[in-house]
Short mmCIF file of all heavy atoms in Angstrom, two decimals:
data_model
loop_
_atom_site.label_atom_id
_atom_site.label_comp_id
_atom_site.label_asym_id
_atom_site.label_seq_id
_atom_site.Cartn_x
_atom_site.Cartn_y
_atom_site.Cartn_z
N TYR D 1 -6.66 4.96 -5.87
CA TYR D 1 -5.54 5.88 -6.08
C TYR D 1 -4.59 5.84 -4.88
O TYR D 1 -3.37 5.87 -5.04
CB TYR D 1 -6.07 7.29 -6.30
CG TYR D 1 -5.05 8.25 -6.85
CD1 TYR D 1 -4.80 8.31 -8.22
CD2 TYR D 1 -4.34 9.10 -6.01
CE1 TYR D 1 -3.87 9.19 -8.74
CE2 TYR D 1 -3.40 9.99 -6.51
CZ TYR D 1 -3.17 10.02 -7.88
OH TYR D 1 -2.22 10.89 -8.38
N GLN D 2 -5.18 5.76 -3.70
CA GLN D 2 -4.35 5.67 -2.49
C GLN D 2 -3.46 4.44 -2.54
O GLN D 2 -2.25 4.51 -2.28
CB GLN D 2 -5.27 5.61 -1.27
CG GLN D 2 -4.55 5.53 0.06
CD GLN D 2 -4.02 6.86 0.54
OE1 GLN D 2 -2.88 6.95 0.99
NE2 GLN D 2 -4.81 7.91 0.42
N ARG D 3 -4.03 3.31 -2.93
CA ARG D 3 -3.28 2.05 -2.95
C ARG D 3 -2.30 1.97 -4.13
O ARG D 3 -1.13 1.63 -3.94
CB ARG D 3 -4.27 0.88 -3.04
CG ARG D 3 -3.60 -0.50 -3.06
CD ARG D 3 -4.60 -1.60 -3.36
NE ARG D 3 -5.16 -1.46 -4.71
CZ ARG D 3 -6.45 -1.22 -4.96
NH1 ARG D 3 -7.31 -1.08 -3.97
NH2 ARG D 3 -6.88 -1.12 -6.20
N ASP D 4 -2.77 2.30 -5.33
CA ASP D 4 -1.97 2.04 -6.53
C ASP D 4 -1.01 3.15 -6.89
O ASP D 4 -0.08 2.92 -7.67
CB ASP D 4 -2.90 1.77 -7.72
CG ASP D 4 -3.66 0.46 -7.59
OD1 ASP D 4 -3.12 -0.45 -6.94
OD2 ASP D 4 -4.77 0.35 -8.12
N VAL D 5 -1.23 4.35 -6.39
CA VAL D 5 -0.35 5.48 -6.73
C VAL D 5 0.37 6.00 -5.49
O VAL D 5 1.60 5.98 -5.41
CB VAL D 5 -1.11 6.60 -7.44
CG1 VAL D 5 -0.16 7.76 -7.78
CG2 VAL D 5 -1.76 6.08 -8.73
N LEU D 6 -0.39 6.48 -4.50
CA LEU D 6 0.25 7.11 -3.34
C LEU D 6 1.10 6.12 -2.54
O LEU D 6 2.23 6.45 -2.14
CB LEU D 6 -0.80 7.75 -2.44
CG LEU D 6 -1.66 8.85 -3.07
CD1 LEU D 6 -2.54 9.50 -2.01
CD2 LEU D 6 -0.80 9.90 -3.77
N GLU D 7 0.59 4.92 -2.30
CA GLU D 7 1.38 3.94 -1.55
C GLU D 7 2.60 3.49 -2.35
O GLU D 7 3.66 3.23 -1.79
CB GLU D 7 0.52 2.75 -1.15
CG GLU D 7 -0.45 3.05 -0.02
CD GLU D 7 0.24 3.57 1.24
OE1 GLU D 7 1.39 3.17 1.53
OE2 GLU D 7 -0.36 4.42 1.93
N TYR D 8 2.44 3.39 -3.65
CA TYR D 8 3.58 3.07 -4.53
C TYR D 8 4.66 4.15 -4.43
O TYR D 8 5.86 3.85 -4.29
CB TYR D 8 3.08 2.91 -5.96
CG TYR D 8 4.08 3.22 -7.04
CD1 TYR D 8 5.12 2.34 -7.34
CD2 TYR D 8 3.96 4.38 -7.80
CE1 TYR D 8 6.03 2.64 -8.35
CE2 TYR D 8 4.86 4.67 -8.81
CZ TYR D 8 5.89 3.81 -9.08
OH TYR D 8 6.79 4.10 -10.09
N VAL D 9 4.24 5.41 -4.47
CA VAL D 9 5.21 6.52 -4.37
C VAL D 9 5.92 6.46 -3.02
O VAL D 9 7.15 6.58 -2.94
CB VAL D 9 4.48 7.87 -4.56
CG1 VAL D 9 5.40 9.03 -4.16
CG2 VAL D 9 4.03 8.02 -6.00
N ARG D 10 5.17 6.29 -1.95
CA ARG D 10 5.78 6.23 -0.62
C ARG D 10 6.77 5.07 -0.51
O ARG D 10 7.88 5.23 0.00
CB ARG D 10 4.69 6.10 0.44
CG ARG D 10 3.79 7.31 0.59
CD ARG D 10 2.82 7.10 1.74
NE ARG D 10 1.89 8.21 1.88
CZ ARG D 10 0.59 8.14 1.58
NH1 ARG D 10 0.08 6.99 1.13
NH2 ARG D 10 -0.20 9.18 1.71
N ALA D 11 6.36 3.90 -0.98
CA ALA D 11 7.21 2.72 -0.87
C ALA D 11 8.51 2.89 -1.64
O ALA D 11 9.59 2.52 -1.16
CB ALA D 11 6.46 1.49 -1.38
N GLU D 12 8.44 3.48 -2.82
CA GLU D 12 9.65 3.68 -3.62
C GLU D 12 10.60 4.67 -2.96
O GLU D 12 11.82 4.44 -2.89
CB GLU D 12 9.27 4.15 -5.03
CG GLU D 12 8.67 3.08 -5.91
CD GLU D 12 9.70 2.05 -6.33
OE1 GLU D 12 9.92 1.08 -5.55
OE2 GLU D 12 10.30 2.18 -7.40
N TYR D 13 10.08 5.78 -2.47
CA TYR D 13 10.95 6.76 -1.81
C TYR D 13 11.59 6.16 -0.56
O TYR D 13 12.76 6.43 -0.26
CB TYR D 13 10.16 8.02 -1.44
CG TYR D 13 10.16 9.08 -2.52
CD1 TYR D 13 9.04 9.31 -3.30
CD2 TYR D 13 11.30 9.83 -2.76
CE1 TYR D 13 9.05 10.29 -4.31
CE2 TYR D 13 11.32 10.81 -3.76
CZ TYR D 13 10.19 11.03 -4.52
OH TYR D 13 10.21 11.98 -5.51
N ARG D 14 10.84 5.35 0.15
CA ARG D 14 11.41 4.73 1.35
C ARG D 14 12.51 3.74 1.00
O ARG D 14 13.36 3.43 1.84
CB ARG D 14 10.30 4.05 2.15
CG ARG D 14 9.40 5.03 2.89
CD ARG D 14 8.11 4.38 3.36
NE ARG D 14 7.26 5.34 4.05
CZ ARG D 14 5.94 5.22 4.15
NH1 ARG D 14 5.33 4.17 3.60
NH2 ARG D 14 5.24 6.14 4.79
N ARG D 15 12.51 3.22 -0.20
CA ARG D 15 13.56 2.32 -0.68
C ARG D 15 14.75 3.09 -1.26
O ARG D 15 15.70 2.49 -1.77
CB ARG D 15 13.02 1.38 -1.74
CG ARG D 15 12.00 0.37 -1.25
CD ARG D 15 11.43 -0.42 -2.41
NE ARG D 15 12.47 -1.19 -3.10
CZ ARG D 15 12.32 -1.73 -4.30
NH1 ARG D 15 11.19 -1.57 -4.98
NH2 ARG D 15 13.30 -2.43 -4.85
N GLY D 16 14.69 4.41 -1.21
CA GLY D 16 15.77 5.22 -1.77
C GLY D 16 15.67 5.36 -3.28
O GLY D 16 16.67 5.64 -3.95
N ARG D 17 14.47 5.19 -3.83
CA ARG D 17 14.26 5.30 -5.27
C ARG D 17 13.34 6.48 -5.57
O ARG D 17 12.67 7.01 -4.68
CB ARG D 17 13.66 3.98 -5.80
CG ARG D 17 14.60 2.80 -5.67
CD ARG D 17 13.85 1.48 -5.57
NE ARG D 17 13.05 1.17 -6.73
CZ ARG D 17 13.42 0.35 -7.71
NH1 ARG D 17 14.61 -0.24 -7.66
NH2 ARG D 17 12.62 0.09 -8.72
N THR D 18 13.30 6.89 -6.85
CA THR D 18 12.46 8.01 -7.26
C THR D 18 11.43 7.51 -8.27
O THR D 18 11.76 7.25 -9.42
CB THR D 18 13.30 9.14 -7.89
OG1 THR D 18 14.30 9.55 -6.95
CG2 THR D 18 12.42 10.32 -8.25
N PRO D 19 10.17 7.36 -7.86
CA PRO D 19 9.17 6.76 -8.74
C PRO D 19 8.62 7.74 -9.77
O PRO D 19 8.85 8.95 -9.69
CB PRO D 19 8.07 6.36 -7.75
CG PRO D 19 8.18 7.41 -6.68
CD PRO D 19 9.65 7.70 -6.54
N ASN D 20 7.87 7.20 -10.72
CA ASN D 20 7.15 8.03 -11.68
C ASN D 20 5.66 7.74 -11.53
O ASN D 20 5.13 6.81 -12.14
CB ASN D 20 7.61 7.74 -13.12
CG ASN D 20 7.09 8.79 -14.09
OD1 ASN D 20 5.90 9.04 -14.16
ND2 ASN D 20 7.99 9.41 -14.82
N PRO D 21 4.96 8.52 -10.71
CA PRO D 21 3.55 8.23 -10.43
C PRO D 21 2.64 8.32 -11.64
O PRO D 21 1.63 7.61 -11.72
CB PRO D 21 3.19 9.26 -9.37
CG PRO D 21 4.21 10.34 -9.50
CD PRO D 21 5.46 9.67 -9.95
N CYS D 22 2.95 9.20 -12.60
CA CYS D 22 2.07 9.38 -13.75
C CYS D 22 2.04 8.13 -14.63
O CYS D 22 0.97 7.73 -15.11
CB CYS D 22 2.51 10.59 -14.57
SG CYS D 22 2.40 12.14 -13.67
N VAL D 23 3.20 7.51 -14.85
CA VAL D 23 3.25 6.29 -15.66
C VAL D 23 2.45 5.18 -14.98
O VAL D 23 1.66 4.47 -15.62
CB VAL D 23 4.70 5.84 -15.87
CG1 VAL D 23 4.75 4.52 -16.65
CG2 VAL D 23 5.49 6.91 -16.62
N TRP D 24 2.64 5.04 -13.68
CA TRP D 24 1.95 3.98 -12.94
C TRP D 24 0.45 4.25 -12.86
O TRP D 24 -0.37 3.33 -12.95
CB TRP D 24 2.57 3.85 -11.55
CG TRP D 24 2.40 2.49 -10.98
CD1 TRP D 24 1.71 2.17 -9.86
CD2 TRP D 24 2.95 1.26 -11.47
NE1 TRP D 24 1.79 0.81 -9.62
CE2 TRP D 24 2.54 0.24 -10.60
CE3 TRP D 24 3.74 0.95 -12.58
CZ2 TRP D 24 2.89 -1.10 -10.80
CZ3 TRP D 24 4.08 -0.38 -12.78
CH2 TRP D 24 3.67 -1.38 -11.90
N CYS D 25 0.06 5.50 -12.69
CA CYS D 25 -1.36 5.86 -12.64
C CYS D 25 -2.05 5.54 -13.96
O CYS D 25 -3.18 5.02 -13.97
CB CYS D 25 -1.52 7.34 -12.31
SG CYS D 25 -3.24 7.91 -12.28
N ASN D 26 -1.39 5.82 -15.07
CA ASN D 26 -2.00 5.53 -16.37
C ASN D 26 -2.29 4.04 -16.51
O ASN D 26 -3.36 3.65 -16.97
CB ASN D 26 -1.09 6.00 -17.51
CG ASN D 26 -1.21 7.49 -17.75
OD1 ASN D 26 -2.27 8.07 -17.57
ND2 ASN D 26 -0.12 8.12 -18.14
N ARG D 27 -1.33 3.21 -16.13
CA ARG D 27 -1.53 1.77 -16.29
C ARG D 27 -2.56 1.22 -15.31
O ARG D 27 -3.45 0.47 -15.69
CB ARG D 27 -0.21 1.04 -16.12
CG ARG D 27 -0.39 -0.49 -16.14
CD ARG D 27 0.91 -1.23 -16.22
NE ARG D 27 0.72 -2.65 -16.04
CZ ARG D 27 1.38 -3.58 -16.70
NH1 ARG D 27 2.26 -3.24 -17.62
NH2 ARG D 27 1.17 -4.86 -16.46
N ARG D 28 -2.42 1.57 -14.05
CA ARG D 28 -3.23 0.93 -13.02
C ARG D 28 -4.59 1.59 -12.81
O ARG D 28 -5.57 0.91 -12.48
CB ARG D 28 -2.46 0.92 -11.69
CG ARG D 28 -1.18 0.11 -11.71
CD ARG D 28 -1.44 -1.37 -11.92
NE ARG D 28 -2.21 -1.95 -10.84
CZ ARG D 28 -1.66 -2.46 -9.72
NH1 ARG D 28 -0.34 -2.44 -9.56
NH2 ARG D 28 -2.43 -2.98 -8.79
N VAL D 29 -4.66 2.92 -12.99
CA VAL D 29 -5.89 3.63 -12.62
C VAL D 29 -6.63 4.17 -13.85
O VAL D 29 -7.74 3.73 -14.16
CB VAL D 29 -5.59 4.76 -11.62
CG1 VAL D 29 -6.90 5.41 -11.16
CG2 VAL D 29 -4.83 4.22 -10.42
N LYS D 30 -6.02 5.10 -14.59
CA LYS D 30 -6.75 5.74 -15.70
C LYS D 30 -7.14 4.76 -16.80
O LYS D 30 -8.26 4.82 -17.32
CB LYS D 30 -5.89 6.87 -16.29
CG LYS D 30 -5.79 8.09 -15.41
CD LYS D 30 -4.97 9.17 -16.07
CE LYS D 30 -4.81 10.37 -15.14
NZ LYS D 30 -3.94 11.41 -15.73
N LEU D 31 -6.24 3.88 -17.19
CA LEU D 31 -6.54 2.91 -18.24
C LEU D 31 -6.94 1.56 -17.67
O LEU D 31 -7.18 0.62 -18.42
CB LEU D 31 -5.33 2.73 -19.16
CG LEU D 31 -4.80 3.98 -19.84
CD1 LEU D 31 -3.63 3.65 -20.77
CD2 LEU D 31 -5.91 4.69 -20.63
N GLY D 32 -7.00 1.49 -16.34
CA GLY D 32 -7.33 0.23 -15.69
C GLY D 32 -8.58 0.34 -14.86
O GLY D 32 -9.69 0.09 -15.32
N ARG D 33 -8.40 0.71 -13.61
CA ARG D 33 -9.51 0.67 -12.66
C ARG D 33 -10.65 1.61 -13.05
O ARG D 33 -11.82 1.29 -12.81
CB ARG D 33 -8.98 1.03 -11.26
CG ARG D 33 -10.01 0.86 -10.18
CD ARG D 33 -10.41 -0.60 -9.98
NE ARG D 33 -11.57 -0.69 -9.09
CZ ARG D 33 -12.72 -1.25 -9.42
NH1 ARG D 33 -12.88 -1.80 -10.62
NH2 ARG D 33 -13.72 -1.28 -8.58
N LEU D 34 -10.36 2.77 -13.64
CA LEU D 34 -11.42 3.70 -14.05
C LEU D 34 -12.38 3.04 -15.02
O LEU D 34 -13.60 3.13 -14.87
CB LEU D 34 -10.80 4.95 -14.67
CG LEU D 34 -11.79 5.93 -15.33
CD1 LEU D 34 -12.78 6.47 -14.30
CD2 LEU D 34 -11.03 7.07 -16.01
N LEU D 35 -11.84 2.37 -16.03
CA LEU D 35 -12.69 1.75 -17.04
C LEU D 35 -13.44 0.55 -16.47
O LEU D 35 -14.61 0.31 -16.79
CB LEU D 35 -11.84 1.33 -18.25
CG LEU D 35 -10.99 2.44 -18.88
CD1 LEU D 35 -10.43 1.99 -20.22
CD2 LEU D 35 -11.80 3.72 -19.06
N GLU D 36 -12.77 -0.22 -15.61
CA GLU D 36 -13.44 -1.35 -14.97
C GLU D 36 -14.62 -0.87 -14.12
O GLU D 36 -15.73 -1.42 -14.20
CB GLU D 36 -12.45 -2.10 -14.07
CG GLU D 36 -11.35 -2.82 -14.80
CD GLU D 36 -10.31 -3.37 -13.83
OE1 GLU D 36 -10.51 -3.24 -12.60
OE2 GLU D 36 -9.30 -3.92 -14.30
N ALA D 37 -14.38 0.15 -13.31
CA ALA D 37 -15.43 0.66 -12.43
C ALA D 37 -16.58 1.27 -13.23
O ALA D 37 -17.75 1.12 -12.85
CB ALA D 37 -14.83 1.69 -11.47
N ALA D 38 -16.26 1.95 -14.32
CA ALA D 38 -17.31 2.55 -15.15
C ALA D 38 -18.21 1.47 -15.74
O ALA D 38 -19.45 1.59 -15.70
CB ALA D 38 -16.68 3.39 -16.26
N ARG D 39 -17.61 0.42 -16.26
CA ARG D 39 -18.42 -0.66 -16.85
C ARG D 39 -19.21 -1.40 -15.78
O ARG D 39 -20.35 -1.81 -16.02
CB ARG D 39 -17.51 -1.59 -17.65
CG ARG D 39 -16.98 -0.94 -18.94
CD ARG D 39 -16.30 -1.94 -19.86
NE ARG D 39 -16.12 -1.37 -21.19
CZ ARG D 39 -14.95 -0.97 -21.71
NH1 ARG D 39 -13.84 -1.10 -20.98
NH2 ARG D 39 -14.88 -0.48 -22.92
N GLN D 40 -18.61 -1.57 -14.61
CA GLN D 40 -19.34 -2.21 -13.52
C GLN D 40 -20.55 -1.39 -13.10
O GLN D 40 -21.55 -1.94 -12.61
CB GLN D 40 -18.40 -2.42 -12.32
CG GLN D 40 -17.36 -3.51 -12.55
CD GLN D 40 -16.28 -3.52 -11.47
OE1 GLN D 40 -16.29 -2.70 -10.56
NE2 GLN D 40 -15.34 -4.45 -11.58
N ALA D 41 -20.46 -0.08 -13.29
CA ALA D 41 -21.57 0.81 -12.95
C ALA D 41 -22.60 0.89 -14.08
O ALA D 41 -23.57 1.65 -13.97
CB ALA D 41 -21.03 2.20 -12.64
N GLY D 42 -22.40 0.12 -15.15
CA GLY D 42 -23.35 0.09 -16.26
C GLY D 42 -23.14 1.15 -17.31
O GLY D 42 -24.02 1.37 -18.16
N ILE D 43 -22.01 1.83 -17.31
CA ILE D 43 -21.71 2.85 -18.32
C ILE D 43 -21.13 2.14 -19.54
O ILE D 43 -20.07 1.52 -19.47
CB ILE D 43 -20.71 3.88 -17.77
CG1 ILE D 43 -21.25 4.52 -16.50
CG2 ILE D 43 -20.42 4.95 -18.83
CD1 ILE D 43 -20.22 5.31 -15.71
N ALA D 44 -21.84 2.21 -20.66
CA ALA D 44 -21.44 1.49 -21.87
C ALA D 44 -20.65 2.39 -22.80
O ALA D 44 -21.01 3.55 -23.02
CB ALA D 44 -22.67 0.95 -22.58
N PHE D 45 -19.56 1.86 -23.33
CA PHE D 45 -18.78 2.58 -24.35
C PHE D 45 -17.90 1.57 -25.09
O PHE D 45 -17.62 0.48 -24.59
CB PHE D 45 -17.91 3.68 -23.72
CG PHE D 45 -17.02 3.22 -22.59
CD1 PHE D 45 -15.71 2.82 -22.82
CD2 PHE D 45 -17.51 3.17 -21.28
CE1 PHE D 45 -14.90 2.41 -21.78
CE2 PHE D 45 -16.70 2.75 -20.24
CZ PHE D 45 -15.40 2.37 -20.48
#
């Protein structure tokens, strides 16, 4: 989350842009890394 959401938000603001953290979190973390990590931990679904 620190890398894919918070650092993304900081980088965009520093570029003079206004990011949307929720859209990026859904793609990279909630629908991405969360499911990968769960399966790697042996959680089947």
Side-chain angles (χ1 to χ4, degrees):
Y1 194 84
Q2 180 79 225
R3 180 189 65 244
D4 292 331
V5 180
L6 299 187
E7 286 303 327
Y8 153 74
V9 168
R10 293 184 183 109
E12 287 289 86
Y13 270 106
R14 286 165 180 155
R15 293 174 61 195
R17 295 154 62 99
T18 303
N20 192 305
C22 297
V23 177
W24 206 243
C25 178
N26 280 328
R27 174 170 172 141
R28 296 296 296 272
V29 185
K30 287 182 183 176
L31 302 182
R33 187 66 190 121
L34 172 62
L35 306 191
E36 292 172 4
R39 289 191 166 107
Q40 288 169 359
I43 303 167
F45 53 93

